[in-house]
Amino acid sequence: MNITEKVSYIKGLADGLTLDESNKQDKILKAIIDLLDDIALSVSDLEDGCAELGEQIDAVDEDLSAVEDLVYGEEEGDECDGCCGEDDEVYEVECPNCNDVIYLDADMLEKDGIVCPNCGTNLEFDFDEACDCDDCDCDCSKEEEK
């Protein structure tokens, strides 16, 4: 039994009592029952609104997931860690302003820079410095040995 059904039941009990509106206690009791009815209707409307909002949020979540798949081109957790070959390599760049991690491919890195999609900061890439890592596949460490 929901709230509106319970209030309807109480209204039925009160109608069976044949409350006299000239009596102060009966008048108060009738006003309380009317108030309960109004509150029950408001709660019912709120529950319906919450259910509708929940359905809309689920729909937006599904749409957002589809957009993420289009933008990033891969499912979450399927990030390339350099295992896909040179043509498909994905690079991670962290924005120094908002610390958002941006995934770039080789074509995007060939440009002088990009704009951070999160905060709008201009990010510039400078490849003039030699790489000092030992674990990469680049030829920089081999050139230094020569």
Side-chain angles (χ1 to χ4, degrees):
M1 203 189 264
N2 64 29
I3 293 175
T4 53
E5 291 170 343
K6 289 178 182 180
V7 171
S8 295
Y9 175 73
I10 292 172
K11 270 184 142 180
L13 290 175
D15 288 343
L17 292 175
T18 60
L19 297 175
D20 183 16
E21 297 246 353
S22 62
N23 185 347
K24 291 180 182 180
Q25 288 90 2
D26 291 350
K27 191 174 186 177
I28 290 173
L29 188 57
K30 186 163 178 19
I32 291 172
I33 292 171
D34 288 341
L35 176 64
L36 283 174
D37 188 38
D38 292 343
I39 291 171
L41 291 174
S42 294
V43 168
S44 178
D45 289 345
L46 288 172
E47 288 173 342
D48 292 344
C50 283
E52 185 177 331
L53 280 174
E55 291 171 6
Q56 290 176 352
I57 288 172
D58 289 342
V60 168
D61 184 45
E62 290 174 9
D63 291 346
L64 179 60
S65 178
V67 169
E68 287 174 341
D69 290 346
L70 287 173
V71 169
Y72 296 115
E74 54 192 32
E75 293 291 322
E76 198 171 313
D78 290 344
E79 297 168 2
C80 178
D81 292 327
C83 61
C84 305
E86 279 187 38
D87 294 337
D88 297 325
E89 285 191 65
V90 176
Y91 302 93
E92 291 183 7
V93 175
E94 184 174 335
C95 175
N97 188 39
C98 67
N99 298 325
D100 188 32
V101 176
I102 305 163
Y103 298 97
L104 307 172
D105 61 12
D107 293 336
M108 296 171 77
L109 285 175
E110 288 178 5
K111 300 176 183 177
D112 289 335
I114 64 166
V115 175
C116 176
N118 189 41
C119 68
T121 301
N122 286 325
L123 303 175
E124 296 179 5
F125 307 118
D126 184 16
F127 295 107
D128 292 339
E129 297 178 20
C131 178
D132 60 351
C133 65
D134 296 327
D135 298 328
C136 71
D137 293 333
C138 65
D139 294 329
C140 65
S141 59
K142 296 172 188 168
E143 290 176 10
E144 290 175 6
E145 293 175 2
K146 291 181 182 179

